[in-house]
Amino acid sequence: MPSPTSDQQENKTEKTLMGFNAKGAAGNRASFFAAAGLEWPDDMVMEYDLGRYTDYPFSVDISNNRLLAALDRTGQVRRAVVAIGREDVRGKTIPGVYVYKKLAFCQGHIGMQINCMNRQCPSPALSFIDDLIPVFDASIGNLHSQTIVFVPQEGASRPLCLIQLCQLANRGTTPLDVNVSILSSTRGKDGTVALPLKFNLLSESDSPITSGTSKTMLRLDPGESRSVASVFDFSEQEDGLQIFNTIHGCRTALKATLKARKGSLGKVQIPEDPWYGDLITRSAELARQSLLLQADGKADGSFWGSNANPLPEVWTRDFGYCAMGLVDSNPDLANPMIEFLAQYGIPDQAWEREARMHPEASGFEHSLGNSCR
């Protein structure tokens, strides 16, 4: 199993709540690799109900550009979204938004839960594999867990699946009984299509866990390590649960996903402070994650950053900023984004400042002026 990057050590040395302190401020540099904010509310408050968007909960977002999911500071999935269509709304809504994305969406508590000695894992430390895939490390007494969470991708294949691959280790001198269970409490949001959910719980034990089982118990001898995994499928089909149905299959998917990510990015090295190079990689990854593809491979728009939410607006200039770097880092993904901008990136006519300064300007001239600012 791949090891986390050196960011993990920094998390261990700073006593913070998963990257942010009690006041909601960033607690360490790894915090900047995620959306710094407060705890997730029980009622899943929407962005437009908050006084400031920066008040929204801390999340780590993962995406293969078909499925986008937001994780909380324990590694649980709190939101998942898939693009299913788009609507041209030029002249029908606010300036700067020319298209709505149509989404299938769910929110709630989705993920693997570890329990040992009647205790659950406390808030884990956050690190990343190659600044790309999040890793959550936690301990309950002598039990250590390391959970890698990712959405798989191999080449152009982007299944609507999310995988949590967890390695459990008994670092004590007596056996440990570990209970592993699945949380799968979800609900939709008015105005969006409900996203379906199926799951498998996998183990390395000689007796495989029955498909659809939501819990199991493992006994770990002193010094023993064992892997478990949860696979969540958000598609209408059963493909994901059939493909990723073993621990080995999940590990293979992780390697393929890392290859797909690393193959599109170089590595900026700044010896005086390596974190700045890591930040550039992570920023490029967050920009890529915010962009969505439909099942036919066409672009469906983007979010404000990579935060998975059910809001339909696609802010054209924000979309352009996220897509611009793909021309160098990921040309295959850039192509549908360029087609999207060519089709939806121009308003019917100039508006606001451009319209006041140049009443005769066309929508094309408005868009060109915006791009040159």
Side-chain angles (χ1 to χ4, degrees), residues 143-199:
L143 175 70
H144 178 77
S145 68
Q146 183 184 90
T147 304
I148 301 171
V149 190
F150 66 102
V151 284
Q153 178 182 350
E154 184 170 5
S157 175
R158 295 178 167 90
L160 302 184
C161 279
L162 181 144
I163 297 174
Q164 293 178 314
L165 181 57
C166 177
Q167 185 173 13
L168 300 169
N170 182 354
R171 296 179 173 177
T173 58
T174 58
L176 290 176
D177 290 330
V178 184
N179 292 296
V180 182
S181 58
I182 294 292
L183 297 172
S184 59
S185 172
T186 65
R187 60 184 184 277
K189 174 69 177 174
D190 292 345
T192 63
V193 177
L195 197 59
L197 175 63
K198 302 175 290 295
F199 63 85

Side-chain angles (χ1 to χ4, degrees), residues 58-340:
F58 179 97
S59 68
V60 182
D61 305 324
I62 54 176
S63 170
N64 62 6
N65 299 110
R66 282 284 292 125
L67 172 67
L68 174 63
L71 312 175
D72 66 16
R73 61 189 180 90
T74 69
Q76 287 184 22
V77 181
R78 304 308 290 267
R79 288 177 166 184
V81 63
V82 171
I84 58 174
R86 57 195 182 192
E87 177 187 2
D88 192 326
V89 293
R90 279 173 284 201
K92 302 177 185 178
T93 185
I94 54 180
V97 176
Y98 312 141
V99 63
Y100 278 175
K101 53 186 179 291
K102 297 179 180 179
L103 304 169
F105 173 82
C106 73
Q107 59 188 3
H109 299 266
I110 306 168
M112 188 176 356
Q113 193 167 55
I114 308 298
N115 185 295
C116 183
M117 299 178 291
N118 294 319
R119 294 163 54 196
Q120 295 180 3
C121 286
S123 299
L126 170 66
S127 61
F128 289 83
I129 300 174
D130 295 322
D131 308 315
L132 300 171
I133 293 179
V135 182
F136 299 85
D137 280 89
S139 295
I140 305 174
N142 291 321
L143 175 70
H144 178 77
S145 68
Q146 183 184 90
T147 304
I148 301 171
V149 190
F150 66 102
V151 284
Q153 178 182 350
E154 184 170 5
S157 175
R158 295 178 167 90
L160 302 184
C161 279
L162 181 144
I163 297 174
Q164 293 178 314
L165 181 57
C166 177
Q167 185 173 13
L168 300 169
N170 182 354
R171 296 179 173 177
T173 58
T174 58
L176 290 176
D177 290 330
V178 184
N179 292 296
V180 182
S181 58
I182 294 292
L183 297 172
S184 59
S185 172
T186 65
R187 60 184 184 277
K189 174 69 177 174
D190 292 345
T192 63
V193 177
L195 197 59
L197 175 63
K198 302 175 290 295
F199 63 85
N200 267 353
L201 181 59
L202 309 173
S203 173
E204 287 182 312
S205 62
D206 295 333
S207 302
I209 300 171
T210 304
S211 177
T213 299
S214 60
K215 58 184 177 180
T216 189
M217 195 274 285
L218 305 174
R219 167 156 287 202
L220 295 179
D221 292 327
E224 183 181 7
S225 295
R226 194 179 303 176
S227 292
V228 292
S230 55
V231 180
F232 298 94
D233 190 324
F234 297 92
S235 68
E236 296 288 351
Q237 296 77 32
E238 299 286 342
D239 294 353
L241 297 185
Q242 293 173 357
I243 296 172
F244 309 111
N245 58 5
T246 65
I247 296 293
H248 174 74
C250 292
R251 288 174 178 157
T252 300
L254 175 61
K255 292 179 181 178
T257 303
L258 280 168
K259 181 179 179 181
R261 298 282 180 274
K262 294 171 66 175
S264 66
L265 294 170
K267 180 66 175 177
V268 178
Q269 294 182 329
I270 303 176
E272 293 79 8
D273 196 335
W275 177 79
Y276 287 103
D278 298 342
L279 177 62
I280 292 174
T281 300
R282 190 63 190 162
S283 297
E285 174 68 357
L286 290 174
R288 178 200 64 78
Q289 286 184 167
S290 73
L291 302 163
L292 281 180
L293 294 172
Q294 299 177 153
D296 60 6
K298 294 182 179 179
D300 200 61
S302 65
F303 296 95
W304 309 332
S306 60
N307 175 33
N309 64 63
L311 306 181
E313 294 91 348
V314 178
W315 290 89
T316 304
R317 189 159 60 179
D318 293 348
F319 176 93
Y321 288 157
C322 288
M324 192 181 303
L326 296 174
V327 174
D328 290 323
S329 67
N330 200 326
D332 290 341
L333 188 57
N335 286 335
M337 304 305 159
I338 293 170
E339 293 175 358
F340 181 95

